[in-house]
Amino acid sequence: MKAIAVFPKSRDVQLIDADLPSIASPTQVRLEMLDVGVCGTDREICAFQYGTPPEGSDHLIIGHESLGRVVEVGADVKSVSPGDLVVPMVRRPCPHAHCTACRCDRQDFCFTGDFQERGIGGAHGFMTEFVVEEERYLNPVPEALRDVAILVEPLTIAQKALIQIWQLQERLPWGCPHRPGKNHGHCRRALVLGAGPVGLLGAMALRARDFETIVYAREEAPNEKSRVVEAIGATYASSKDVPPDQIAARFGAIDVVYEAAGASRLAFDSMQALGANSIFVFTGVPGRKEPVAVDTDLLMRNLVLRNQVILGTVNAGRDAFEAAIRDVAEFGRRWPEALRSLVSGRHAPEEYRELLLGRPTGIKHVIRFARTD
Ligand code: BGC
């Protein structure tokens, strides 16, 4: 079967002919992969900045954003049947008894770092035609979401952030007064850094909760991303028009920053926009570049005097996957065109070079593997 793999030793990316996987235990499920998303992490793996093959293998089959259809189930599988759509989770637990996170299915909070991530580190991923997976890592998806469910995994990042934002902000009187027809973020202002898929999906999640939402990115409007931002009732601002130190003056103090740009300079500069009792959530993984100067006195004064929180978050648990599946359906009801426009193109596996090594274009590109769908 076709699979897209990196060979770190020879620094090569190839479309390979991999062995068809088969079910080896009664709790396993065989999936035909329908859509596999291409993201920044995949591009970094293909540039050999990130990613590790499984032990004993000279290559790693990449791909972690995926949608599959169940084609075969082991004898003990109960929650899914052949024909069902599923989105697999990415991370697998570490083996250590003392890792309380992994021992209670919260490997997204693994203490040891010895976890595996399918398509990223230590385990083959989903950019291939068939995959075998344990039932417990699969999330069933309604058939109606067939065309957009590839957005579930990148949306889990925002869902895990939102779950934690509510938990952390519960320590203070942060909740909005009840307003009929309005969701619980209606009295808060959010700033999203970056207008890539993670940023735009995060903006949709914030808008769905009625946060006033500003998406802040480099490119000047109008562009395809600013059009999505406007369609969901958010505001697009370019850093070329509004420098980071002007954000609060232009839009008012920010309650939540959802960082989805991976640019540390921009992120730290925009911290000045944070108001009292605010929270800043980092999701990006920047490449290591030259150190940059940060006004640490100002930062620390504000953190203390304004009760601010800075949070880093990675990966996602089942709760975030389930919330993402519900939200993708909700986005489809509210903004069908904008949601569909996030998928810029569906491509044959043979186009992998342009997609993974070429200049990034559009929003979310998807590789179609399905033979039957
Ligand atoms: C994936 C996460 C993963 C992270 C770090 C992201 O692209 O969506 O599942 O934990 O990379 O490897």
Side-chain angles (χ1 to χ4, degrees), residues 39-42 45 50-51 64-65 89-91 108 115 117-118 120-121 153-154 156-157 198 283 285 313-316 321:
C39 82
T41 305
D42 299 316
I45 297 171
Y50 202 65
H64 60 279
E65 298 181 358
M89 291 162 78
V90 177
R91 199 176 271 193
D108 56 317
F115 57 79
E117 288 182 337
R118 289 203 68 166
I120 301 176
E153 197 282 339
T156 61
I157 310 295
V198 175
T283 77
V285 184
T313 181
V314 68
N315 198 254
F321 273 86

Side-chain angles (χ1 to χ4, degrees), residues 139-183:
N139 297 280
V141 172
E143 189 65 39
L145 301 183
R146 163 66 185 90
D147 289 342
V148 285
I150 190 59
L151 300 170
V152 165
E153 197 282 339
L155 176 58
T156 61
I157 310 295
Q159 299 297 343
K160 179 172 172 182
L162 277 166
I163 292 167
Q164 294 174 91
I165 289 170
W166 294 120
Q167 287 168 344
L168 288 162
Q169 298 303 77
E170 252 180 37
R171 77 195 191 287
L172 51 91
W174 203 68
C176 297
H178 178 70
R179 251 178 72 192
K182 284 283 175 198
N183 222 319

Side-chain angles (χ1 to χ4, degrees), residues 323-334:
I325 293 165
R326 285 194 298 274
D327 252 13
V328 165
E330 174 65 15
F331 302 168
R333 281 187 289 273
R334 289 196 186 206

Side-chain angles (χ1 to χ4, degrees), residues 34-338:
L34 304 182
D35 285 345
V36 185
V38 175
C39 82
T41 305
D42 299 316
R43 300 175 63 88
E44 277 172 21
I45 297 171
C46 291
F48 308 100
Q49 294 166 10
Y50 202 65
T52 352
E55 225 175 83
S57 170
D58 63 348
H59 65 281
L60 169 74
I61 297 176
I62 62 170
H64 60 279
E65 298 181 358
S66 73
L67 172 69
R69 195 180 288 286
V70 175
V71 287
E72 187 188 353
V73 295
D76 292 348
V77 171
K78 295 192 180 62
S79 58
V80 293
S81 326
D84 289 353
L85 291 179
V86 291
V87 172
M89 291 162 78
V90 177
R91 199 176 271 193
R92 303 294 169 263
C94 80
H96 308 292
H98 64 271
C99 183
T100 49
C102 287
R103 301 291 67 77
C104 68
D105 298 326
R106 288 312 303 255
Q107 49 272 15
D108 56 317
F109 286 115
C110 177
F111 282 90
T112 67
D114 290 339
F115 57 79
Q116 297 179 338
E117 288 182 337
R118 289 203 68 166
I120 301 176
H124 286 312
F126 307 129
M127 244 181 229
T128 182
E129 291 179 81
F130 292 93
V131 160
V132 166
E133 186 51 276
E134 289 293 329
E135 173 187 19
R136 66 194 181 108
Y137 301 123
L138 299 176
N139 297 280
V141 172
E143 189 65 39
L145 301 183
R146 163 66 185 90
D147 289 342
V148 285
I150 190 59
L151 300 170
V152 165
E153 197 282 339
L155 176 58
T156 61
I157 310 295
Q159 299 297 343
K160 179 172 172 182
L162 277 166
I163 292 167
Q164 294 174 91
I165 289 170
W166 294 120
Q167 287 168 344
L168 288 162
Q169 298 303 77
E170 252 180 37
R171 77 195 191 287
L172 51 91
W174 203 68
C176 297
H178 178 70
R179 251 178 72 192
K182 284 283 175 198
N183 222 319
H184 30 298
H186 73 81
C187 68
R188 301 280 164 230
R189 182 176 297 121
L191 178 74
V192 174
L193 301 182
V198 175
L200 292 175
L201 286 163
M204 287 184 171
L206 289 158
R207 283 301 301 136
R209 286 152 189 82
D210 287 326
F211 281 86
E212 177 190 335
T213 306
I214 301 130
V215 176
Y216 189 65
R218 213 168 298 149
E219 222 182 308
E220 276 161 306
N223 59 61
E224 60 180 336
K225 295 161 182 176
S226 71
R227 281 188 279 277
V228 172
V229 170
E230 274 147 34
I232 63 168
T235 305
Y236 184 91
S238 163
S239 55
K240 292 182 182 146
D241 299 329
V242 186
D245 61 357
Q246 295 297 308
I247 294 172
R250 177 73 71 95
F251 300 106
I254 304 296
D255 298 300
V256 173
V257 177
Y258 179 69
E259 181 282 322
S264 61
R265 178 67 195 257
L266 173 86
F268 279 88
D269 282 350
S270 64
M271 273 182 195
Q272 301 167 52
L274 288 170
N277 300 327
S278 56
I279 179 162
F280 188 109
V281 186
F282 278 108
T283 77
V285 184
R288 295 291 299 275
K289 296 177 221 57
E290 287 291 290
V292 293
V294 177
D295 185 342
T296 50
D297 286 343
L298 179 70
L299 215 66
M300 186 164 158
R301 276 177 71 92
N302 285 346
L303 276 165
V304 171
L305 297 175
R306 299 181 182 172
N307 288 298
Q308 295 169 341
V309 173
I310 300 182
L311 174 75
T313 181
V314 68
N315 198 254
R318 183 172 292 281
D319 53 353
F321 273 86
E322 289 172 354
I325 293 165
R326 285 194 298 274
D327 252 13
V328 165
E330 174 65 15
F331 302 168
R333 281 187 289 273
R334 289 196 186 206
W335 313 296
E337 302 265 298

